């Protein structure tokens, strides 16, 4: 099957429209859901086109953990006096060297209000803090450190506060979060057409985007957007061709994280209409070797038996290090007292009674792993890690045999991945051309854009749902206020 | 200044043309030069638009070393029995995991003939082999190993033969090479318009590219292309905005290699006309810490004092390792007997009488550099490198104090860089859309395309001039044979 052309349909080539609204939102995940609600609240007639039988997007499959801060009610109840300035300092680090300061500032200044926006939709958060190092609470507890806030060197650059907020539901809470958005979407009067897959934008000869051509089950429908189209179609991690073309390094990861809708179609449609796709090489990579948090007291080594990262960093950073510094091959060495099964069920590469035997079993060059572990133990005894500055609470000599090596290699363990590149957008959600001009009538938010966070190695959990929902709201508001296109 | 729009001019909006030809070639480097010559030889009326006062492109600034093999006259004269199959095996490695086998096969099967094509233009090559490890011969000698052919692990996967051929001129021979192409271009009857900068393509409503709008000094000229336009405009390493958007990792490098014309304009024009730009995140990075080749007997360490690469690899591989594995900070440790000044004039970070003192002077964690060098020395005594498999001829203990650390960090030494991403093209040079269809009337070759080599870490010197000139010829031939567009 050939991919549908992503060049827009010319308005002059159309015979008419089948549906119309002021604002047409493509995709009903966190970004599209937020955009639809805000556009309707701003007075626009809103139509949402969702390709799946039910909305939810990648957010519905996620933990639901969202990155809020600057002093949310939950942070205060748990005794953390986070401020907007502290949050800006940290999110600036998380965004990476290509940070857009204005985007970070808006996100952090608006974060408490954004948290309350979710609560007003009926999403509940429990005023409880989880101190243990997890990927997310599996209980209904809420607040946790979800990034590298407490890790070196970030902890020296920004005052650490926990900002990951999980909704008050056990297990994965992303579905619960999205159900609230879906309910609110209907409550504000937006219409939703399911099983309706946008294929091409409709564009006037002067460049203004005026609608969407879609496939509703087998029927081709032309949808007119009087004020604007908001693309909220997700990333492209399920499009192997696009990965090969634009983000080849991410192809090493074996577990695309998202829905099959994350196929890049919205990015391609936006580019076809004159938008620019940027930052396409970047993604977030996740190999969850903890919990149990005892594993942070283990020692991560490459195939030569050498450490390459502080084991207590967020898995976005350690996983990036496995790919780039360790060339995709890594083991977590633990002793009997630390060993526990990970949720991702890492394989045991070897279990031996001595460092020497472990080194041999892993076919490493003689003496290197032994020297690494002896050096680690010697310093850990004094609560020191002169190489990678792991925090003292995780430093403890490995001394209870047997010693096990958990395989954290890309080829032999789960490497989750999603993309962090997409359409260039203004903070208003306007899609930008290579010259930096807005494509009239076209907006975008969520993972189909290059948003708040530009690289995975500094990422913190909850920043994608946070980015998508926050800037989705702004895009919906802006589209609703746009002058009509007629 | 705002960048000119890269959307094509619509033919219907034009009042007429100022110039015309069958084939219009944009850019007169190795790719455009080869395309123009072949298009004219195929019977087409050819017009070359070159933005500089004189053609040459990045090739004219280069060493002129070009990658030929499969049994050239020079290889034979020097006693190397290279074959097409051996060359395919190695170029496949050099291309990287996203290799296009058909493109490699064409290049290698045609390599001897391509070498003779240059000789027929008057380019001389001396039948001499340089065994020393250099970036290129500074004499008029010709043949050398210009990649990782003899290095681990490549040497175990493909029979190693030298394929870098430098023209018979002392010093940098790229200008000499290009002069031959410029002469031949005029000899075959192609016209060249200098100081003429292509700004936009001209496109019919049915999508066919029919010409180029350009700025000749201050005058706007419309150039009609009856059969086709060949973009040969170079890469985008001089466009910092494009690097930030698409190849952020390359921004760590401080020495863009090419001409200011490598600003991505051709890539943007091609995308504007419906082509796709791919592989944009990739580039070749070059930190020349040798010659002198004695430096290969040194020990490259990261900021923690640990080795991370075999020092005898081609600098494309070691430099990539400095960026990705050592996070941009690296030192080459040599002893008194090995030290020599590099052409790039690396700074001395420290000179000390002992390993311990060197470690301290470099502010490394205690004991690590010492352990690294002692481990290296112990194995080097037996001609072994169990960690990185440096070849035995470069293995020798460091034992003649003082010991010096040459700074090979991205911030403190020259890191040359050029881009390896661009327009997606068929092997015929036809520019391809995101759906893999040819954009009618549009061809491209050289560094404005994603060509033979898709990543820097396996690159060998001479592959860019080789790729540009070889596939430039094919693009010129194909454009000349295209049906007229009227």
């Amino acid at each position: 099957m050939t991919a549908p052309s992503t060049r827009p349909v010319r308005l002059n080539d159309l015979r008419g429209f089948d549906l119309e609204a002021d604002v047409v939102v493509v995709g009903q995940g966190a970004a599209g859901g937020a955009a639809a609600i805000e556009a309707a609240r701003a007075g626009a007639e809103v139509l949402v086109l969702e390709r799946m039988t039910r909305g939810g997007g990648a957010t519905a499959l996620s933990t639901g953990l969202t990155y809020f801060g600057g002093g949310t009610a939950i942070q205060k109840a748990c005794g953390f006096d986070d401020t907007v300035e502290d949050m800006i300092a940290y999110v600036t680090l998380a965004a990476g060297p290509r940070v857009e300061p204005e985007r970070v500032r808006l996100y952090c200044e608006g974060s408490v209000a954004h948290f309350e926006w979710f609560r007003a939709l009926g999403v509940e958060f429990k005023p409880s803090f989880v101190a243990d190092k997890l990927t997310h609470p599996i209980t209904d507890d809420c607040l946790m450190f979800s990034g590298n806030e407490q890790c070196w060197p970030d902890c020296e650059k920004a005052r650490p506060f926990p900002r990951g907020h999980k909704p008050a539901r056990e297990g994965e809470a992303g579905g619960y979060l999205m159900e609230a958005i879906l309910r609110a979407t209907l409550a504000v009067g937006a219409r939703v057409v399911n099983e309706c897959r946008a294929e091409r934008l409709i564009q006037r000869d002067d460049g203004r985007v005026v609608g969407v051509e879609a496939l509703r089950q087998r029927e081709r429908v032309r949808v007119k957007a009087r004020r604007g189209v908001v693309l909220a179609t997700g990333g492209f991690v399920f499009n192997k061709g696009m990965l090969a073309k634009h983000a080849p390094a991410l192809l090493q990861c074996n577990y695309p994280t998202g829905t099959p809708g994350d196929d890049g179609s919205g990015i391609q449609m936006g580019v076809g209409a004159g938008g620019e796709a940027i930052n396409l090489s970047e993604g977030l990579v996740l190999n969850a070797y903890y919990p149990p948090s005892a594993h942070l007291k283990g020692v991560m080594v490459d195939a030569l038996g050498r450490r390459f990262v502080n084991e207590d960093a967020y898995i976005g950073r350690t996983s990036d290090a496995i790919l780039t510094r360790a060339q995709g091959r890594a083991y977590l060495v633990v002793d009997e007292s630390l060993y526990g099964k990970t949720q991702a069920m890492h394989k045991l590469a070897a279990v031996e009674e001595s460092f020497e035997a472990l080194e041999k079993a892993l076919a490493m060059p003689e003496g290197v792993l032994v020297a690494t572990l002896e050096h680690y133990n010697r310093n850990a005894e004094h609560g020191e890690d002169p190489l990678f500055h792991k925090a003292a609470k995780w430093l403890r000599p490995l001394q209870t045999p047997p010693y096990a090596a958990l395989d954290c290699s890309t080829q032999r363990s789960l490497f989750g991945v999603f993309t962090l590149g997409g359409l260039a957008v203004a903070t208003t959600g306007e899609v930008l051309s290579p010259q930096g001009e807005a494509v009239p009538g076209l907006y975008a938010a969520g993972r189909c854009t290059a948003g708040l966070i530009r690289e995975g190695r500094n990422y913190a959990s909850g920043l994608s749902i946070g980015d998508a929902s926050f800037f989705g709201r702004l895009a919906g508001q802006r589209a609703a206020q746009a002058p009509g296109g007629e």
Side-chain angles (χ1 to χ4, degrees), chain A residues 30-31 66-67 103 107 114 420 425 445-447 449-454 459 462-473:
Chain A
T66 307
Y67 205 85
R103 198 181 297 273
Y107 182 76
H114 191 49
L420 292 172
V425 286
R447 280 292 70 90
T449 70
L452 192 62
I453 305 301
R454 295 297 170 86
Y459 190 91
L463 279 166
S464 282
I465 299 180
D467 181 9
S469 54
F470 185 85
F471 289 100
R473 289 174 62 202

Side-chain angles (χ1 to χ4, degrees), chain A residues 25 391 475:
Chain A
V25 177

